[in-house]
Amino acid sequence: MNTKDIDVMVISPLPEKMLAELGELFTLHNYWLASDKASFLEKTAKSIKGVVTRSHLGIDAQMINSLPSLEVISIFGVGLDAVDLNAARERNIIVAHTPRVLSECVADTALGLMLNVSRRFSLADRFSRSGDWLKAPFPAATRMHGKICGIAGLGHVGHAVATRAQAFGMPIHYFDPYLQDDHFKRYPTLTELARSCDFLVLTLPGGADTFRIVDSNVLNALGNTGFLINVARGSIVDTEALIAALKNNVISGAGLDVFEDEPNIPAPLCQFDNVVLLPHLASNTVETRQEMADLAVNNIRGYFESGEVLTPAR
Ligand code: 8YV
């Protein structure tokens, strides 16, 4: 089926190859490139039938409602927290995203952060480069294997973290309000999970239900031998509470791939030697980004060719 006369708007930058593929399939309108967004919308809004956007930028109700012909939103990414799903539902607009294809890479990153904060690899790298090794040996760090891995959110990513942590001999404890897996020890609250574990790994979805649920109570429960790992969304953690906890040695350290106001990282976080900071790279490998791109393109193509997307948001 020829889809070339269908108008599709791209809201955020996308991988070059993916953009080229979309450009071959549809008439593309690159909102993200427009310097005057208002006049761009005035000219194009009426005819736009499909939107492609990245998960952490999403699409809000105002934008959805400014596109009267919109039928489908394809998200490059799994997170739905930045998409106004209610506004889409009200108009029967289909929303698709890219679950599963990125779970393994995100879990790899979680394990990398766990090892890095406990064994202090980033700090040791700075220590080695600076010549400090010539002055004194690097101090002993904390063992990871055998410690308790607490997973908040036992979806695909949470399970992939569990598989890896088990290979390190780590018992798995978890908190998930909806999902259950009897192989692992379940806790009814996040605070109880934090109290029980050595590494608290966040793999929950972002959004109103999880907004800043990692607060000072949870951090106190994690305690001064515990590490916080966030590969989910910055919004899940109360950043001020985390900074205070690090300042007062309430927790032992943190490994963070995501932040409340990305790409802005609060300056105090950069001061701590027991914190490892990453620029939201968990899914960012060549292979996984290609699989995400293929799925996001096939979702929007599938919708216009057969009326169905492969991986709808539920
Ligand atoms: C990306 C993500 O960094 O899929 C998600 O929800 O957060 C990541 O994979 C990115 O937003 C992809 O667009």
Side-chain angles (χ1 to χ4, degrees):
M1 185 193 159
N2 184 16
T3 49
K4 192 65 193 164
D5 56 349
I6 296 173
D7 288 298
V8 166
M9 185 166 89
V10 178
I11 292 197
S12 59
L14 294 172
E16 231 170 86
K17 202 167 148 214
M18 178 181 177
L19 262 185
E21 237 178 286
L22 287 168
E24 270 171 34
L25 285 167
F26 305 107
T27 301
L28 270 203
H29 302 274
N30 282 305
Y31 175 80
W32 61 284
L33 283 178
S35 47
D36 183 347
K37 306 277 191 227
S39 74
F40 176 92
L41 279 181
E42 215 170 283
K43 274 189 229 135
T44 55
K46 269 201 197 112
S47 65
I48 300 295
K49 287 188 163 180
V51 152
V52 183
T53 181
R54 297 182 89 100
S55 56
H56 63 280
L57 295 170
I59 179 169
D60 61 16
Q62 197 187 346
M63 179 65 97
I64 290 174
N65 293 328
S66 71
L67 305 172
S69 312
L70 186 60
E71 295 177 24
V72 62
I73 299 166
S74 175
I75 299 157
F76 175 70
V78 64
L80 297 167
D81 49 311
V83 179
D84 197 316
L85 291 173
N86 288 332
R89 245 176 242 132
E90 267 168 35
R91 292 205 9 230
N92 292 322
I93 295 165
I94 305 288
V95 178
H97 62 150
T98 64
R100 292 184 285 279
V101 290
L102 45 70
S103 304
E104 306 297 326
C105 266
V106 177
D108 288 350
T109 304
L111 265 287
L113 281 172
M114 289 162 70
L115 267 177
N116 197 331
V117 286
S118 58
R119 300 297 305 273
R120 316 190 91 187
F121 289 152
S122 288
L123 183 64
D125 178 77
R126 297 195 287 274
F127 178 89
S128 305
R129 287 166 199 252
S130 69
D132 282 354
W133 193 11
L134 298 168
K135 300 174 209 151
F138 190 70
T142 304
R143 180 195 276 187
M144 181 172 107
H145 73 265
K147 296 280 167 68
I148 295 172
C149 178
I151 301 176
L154 204 60
H156 294 289
V157 176
H159 268 109
V161 170
T163 305
R164 286 157 178 73
Q166 282 180 304
F168 280 80
M170 304 177 81
I172 307 298
H173 294 187
Y174 75 100
F175 158 76
D176 192 301
Y178 310 106
L179 304 170
Q180 195 169 333
D181 186 329
D182 295 336
H183 295 99
F184 310 131
K185 187 163 181 190
R186 191 180 195 191
Y187 287 82
T189 66
L190 186 56
T191 308
E192 284 163 271
L193 174 69
R195 191 166 294 119
S196 81
C197 69
D198 300 297
F199 291 82
L200 179 61
V201 186
L202 306 179
T203 52
L204 287 158
D209 290 350
T210 58
F211 184 70
R212 294 185 181 165
I213 57 169
V214 176
D215 56 12
S216 53
N217 288 330
V218 171
L219 295 166
N220 278 326
L222 183 58
N224 64 6
T225 55
F227 297 96
L228 177 71
I229 307 295
N230 193 359
V231 290
R233 280 293 180 268
S235 61
I236 298 174
V237 176
D238 179 337
T239 308
E240 289 309 313
L242 174 61
I243 291 168
L246 288 161
K247 227 178 238 163
N248 299 316
N249 299 318
V250 169
I251 63 171
S252 194
L256 310 170
D257 183 47
V258 286
F259 304 88
E260 283 201 82
D261 182 30
E262 306 176 357
N264 297 302
I265 300 179
L269 280 181
C270 303
Q271 308 302 316
F272 299 112
D273 272 344
N274 54 348
V275 172
V276 176
L277 305 168
L278 301 180
H280 197 155
L281 56 63
S283 70
N284 196 6
T285 60
V286 174
E287 300 90 334
T288 288
R289 284 290 161 93
Q290 188 56 51
E291 288 180 40
M292 290 163 65
D294 290 345
L295 185 49
V297 171
N298 286 334
N299 273 330
I300 190 162
R301 186 216 307 257
Y303 174 79
F304 287 114
E305 286 181 354
S306 69
E308 285 196 18
V309 297
L310 297 168
T311 45
R314 298 192 192 278

